[in-house]
Amino acid sequence: MNVQHGPKTSRTLLIAGVAVSSVSLQGCVEVPRHTIGYWQTQESYLKAYKADLPGHPLVLNPCTAESPRYLQCGGHGECQPWLADPNVDNATEVASALKFCQCEEAWADPNCETPRKSQQLAFLISMFGGFFGLDQLYLGFFFPYGLFKLLTLGGLGVWWVYDLVRIGSSPVGAANSFKVMNNVPHWAFVLSATALFVALAFVYSAWSIQRHRVQKQREVMMLQAEGAAIDSQRRFSGYGSTLA
């Protein structure tokens, strides 16, 4: 007697097999877990930008501690009051306002101890070395931006032009989370970029004209060679012909 299994029987066997497999596999693979949060493995912001003043505990804002002026702001800035209206002349309100470090142009961070990258240098590097990703390396972005820009030769020129305009037109951020110095005037950027592209256009035009001239000279030489071959065939044709 032949017993035929219908689709319901096959479906039941499949579901049973999946259920057995799922139950038997539980506990075989241990999922890794974090013992501490990722943010706790990073250096504390307070330790990274601490104001180590003599006789005072570590503070984030050096302007809150009573210390000599030359020790405040790392010697690269001065404490300025934080006011909603900077034009307030009330001495009492200014004196009681919370103060923060106003760093010099070449320095950054809450204590003015992190040197900024130079926008002028980054712009010059981008102009003459942007094809090889040197501007990204200077800003501290080795991977992936610097490496990919090097391998693609500046994104076949598109990435190079984008970074050139971006770096020259405004201060950009570096890998240390601080912007570069704002020391490229807008007129200098426009003049330099225009001169660079005009020079590139002139070089390309000269190369194109020279290439066209060489090609035309080659065609003329080929035509002259063909003409000489035809003339030689006309002067000497057939058996016993007299050479001129």
Side-chain angles (χ1 to χ4, degrees), residues 226-238 241-244:
E226 291 177 359
I230 293 174
D231 290 341
S232 63
Q233 289 179 359
R234 289 178 179 175
R235 292 177 182 178
F236 182 76
S237 61
S241 298
T242 304
L243 294 174

Side-chain angles (χ1 to χ4, degrees), residues 219-229:
E219 293 176 357
V220 171
M221 292 176 62
M222 292 179 64
L223 291 175
Q224 291 177 350
E226 291 177 359

Side-chain angles (χ1 to χ4, degrees), residues 1 9 13 16 23 50 73 77 106 108-109 118-119 135 137 218 225 230:
M1 181 177 180
T9 305
L13 293 176
V23 172
K50 63 183 179 180
C73 304
D109 82 38
S118 172
Q119 185 187 12
D135 48 357
L137 297 181
R218 188 178 303 167
I230 293 174

Side-chain angles (χ1 to χ4, degrees), residues 193-232:
T194 303
L196 175 63
F197 290 124
V198 168
L200 290 177
F202 177 79
V203 171
Y204 176 77
S205 300
W207 172 82
S208 180
I209 293 173
Q210 181 64 22
R211 180 172 174 269
H212 184 71
R213 291 180 58 186
V214 171
Q215 186 177 1
K216 288 298 183 181
Q217 291 176 357
R218 188 178 303 167
E219 293 176 357
V220 171
M221 292 176 62
M222 292 179 64
L223 291 175
Q224 291 177 350
E226 291 177 359
I230 293 174
D231 290 341
S232 63

